[in-house]
Amino acid sequence: QSALTQPASVSGSPGQSITISCTGTSSDVGSYDLVSWYQQHPGKAPKLMIYEGSKRPSGVSNRFSGSKSGNTASLTISGLQAEDEADYYCCSYAGSSTWVFGGGTKLTVL
Amino acid sequence: QVTLKESGPALVKPTQTLTLTCTFSGFSLSTSGKRVSWIRQPPGKALEWLARIDWNDDKFYSTSLKTRLTISKDTSKNQVVLTMTDMDPVDTATYYCAHFTGTGFDYWGQGTLVTVSS
């Protein structure tokens, strides 16, 4: 399976909202409501931020939200804060019990 | 509290077999619904899902790497073992194990960096 497509980088100022896209195919993102999103700070393990497309684990800020349209999933972060600066990865079920990650997006808070 | 920790060699030679161990606590892989996956990340690059083992010993592998991977569990020791054969420099990466809910990877180990070099 091929990696999901994400923009290499996005940026925003504190307080603003940004959206990171994650484009797959009808064999993965488009066929299942099983997209998850991960935040990774430098040198750290990834952290689950969104699962099943739009659900937040306990303890994750409601500034983080997820959605999907067709073969593209999106992560929106509202009210940007300095600590949101990190790499973000999407992940989707790809059928046959396999999972595929996106290429990652570096978020810069200006 | 769920914790996971990876262990294994930091350096392996090309063509060798890599064996990594994930030791976890806070859950049992003999409990229905529990699953553990391995995921890797080359330096400066993206995450890549490798394999998964379930409480019922079902095993699943990355399509592109399945011929080289074997995942197993030792329930009594709370460990999951991943072996990868025929290691190559492109396999240099941080290898993570993670608890898998069925729809997301909610707990991750700290990762272990494996370098493949002669």
Side-chain angles (χ1 to χ4, degrees), chain A residues 17-109:
Chain A
S17 294
I18 63 94
T19 296
I20 299 172
S21 62
C22 170
T23 301
T25 69
S26 57
S27 297
D28 38 61
V29 175
S31 287
Y32 310 98
D33 290 327
L34 291 174
V35 173
S36 50
W37 289 90
Y38 301 85
Q39 176 191 66
Q40 186 180 34
H41 287 109
K44 301 295 186 180
K47 175 185 176 182
L48 177 66
M49 306 302 285
I50 296 287
Y51 66 100
E52 294 177 22
S54 60
K55 298 179 180 178
R56 280 187 309 275
S58 174
V60 172
S61 172
N62 59 9
R63 298 186 298 106
F64 292 82
S65 62
S67 62
K68 189 185 86 168
S69 178
N71 295 338
T72 299
S74 298
L75 173 72
T76 298
I77 309 174
S78 60
L80 266 182
Q81 299 180 1
E83 59 261 36
D84 299 333
E85 185 163 293
D87 293 328
Y88 290 84
Y89 293 91
C90 60
C91 179
S92 174
Y93 182 60
S96 300
S97 297
T98 64
W99 296 78
V100 61
F101 282 91
T105 298
K106 181 178 180 59
L107 169 62
T108 300
V109 180

Side-chain angles (χ1 to χ4, degrees), chain B residues 14 22 30 36 44 49 51 53 59 61 66 71 77-79 92:
Chain B
C22 173
S30 61
V36 171
W49 180 81
I53 190 165
K59 301 165 186 176
Y61 298 100
K66 65 187 305 179
I71 193 169
K77 294 182 179 179
N78 279 352
Q79 291 181 333
T92 293

